[in-house]
Amino acid sequence: ETSTNVAVGAAAARRGSLDSLQTEWVLAKARAAGVPIGGSEPEPEAPLQMTVGRQHLGEHAERFPRLEGYLEKQQKGAGHLWQRRWFVLDGCVLRYYKSSKDAERNAEHLGLVWSHDILSVRAIDAADHERMFLLETHRDEKPEKPRVYSLRAATNELVSRWVESLDRSRRLVKEIGMSKDALLAAAS
């Protein structure tokens, strides 16, 4: 575990956000990692990308979808294994985590997609690809080669909800013209 994660846990323990068993465990980890656990050190700041959400969209916030739940994401590379991940679409930011518990405790996300970068999202209509949809996104580092996420939901109804919500978020960011920089500034 990183010292930042341990420091965040120690800060939560000091605030009384954890039960006594969790507090004892976190403080032991902090001591073992050499992280100061006194009350005077500042808490580490969360990266701005973790804090941006619907609340930073001002008067447009209610127009943006909020959706969360487990999806399976196909791994890149050899094997193309499927990984179960907890996805959260909050306004114009899609994040995914290892589990719902990670999202609840504001752990660092495994991945993030801005709605600004969504090129397309569509359900796959093929018998051998049931309950699947593709999310194609722009990459700043390789603009000529979009990133494609292959995702799978538990039901076709959930596929429809995710596709509609992601596409709505993509269209709304274009409609209101709010940039990523403006959202990051609003969150800071």
Side-chain angles (χ1 to χ4, degrees), residues 92-109:
C92 61
V93 180
L94 175 69
R95 296 175 186 85
Y96 59 92
Y97 304 85
K98 191 166 187 170
S99 71
S100 60
K101 289 181 181 172
D102 286 348
E104 287 170 14
R105 61 184 173 90
N106 290 324
E108 191 168 342
H109 52 77

Side-chain angles (χ1 to χ4, degrees), residues 81-170:
L81 301 173
W82 290 91
Q83 301 170 312
R84 187 172 187 244
R85 298 288 183 244
W86 182 258
F87 281 77
V88 178
L89 174 61
D90 186 16
C92 61
V93 180
L94 175 69
R95 296 175 186 85
Y96 59 92
Y97 304 85
K98 191 166 187 170
S99 71
S100 60
K101 289 181 181 172
D102 286 348
E104 287 170 14
R105 61 184 173 90
N106 290 324
E108 191 168 342
H109 52 77
L110 298 175
L112 176 139
V113 175
W114 290 90
S115 296
H116 302 72
D117 293 332
I118 296 175
L119 300 173
S120 69
V121 57
R122 62 186 171 82
I124 302 296
D125 191 20
D128 59 337
H129 290 46
E130 284 188 32
R131 305 179 338 268
M132 273 185 64
F133 63 102
L134 298 178
L135 175 63
E136 185 179 35
T137 64
H138 170 79
R139 295 192 286 187
D140 289 334
E141 67 279 4
K142 291 184 182 177
E144 72 288 348
K145 188 172 182 190
R147 165 87 195 264
V148 179
Y149 294 85
S150 296
L151 302 165
R152 193 163 57 188
T155 66
N156 286 327
E157 180 184 322
L158 284 172
V159 167
S160 295
R161 285 182 60 199
W162 279 102
V163 168
E164 289 166 13
S165 295
L166 288 163
D167 193 54
R168 178 180 172 93
S169 183
R170 178 190 65 80

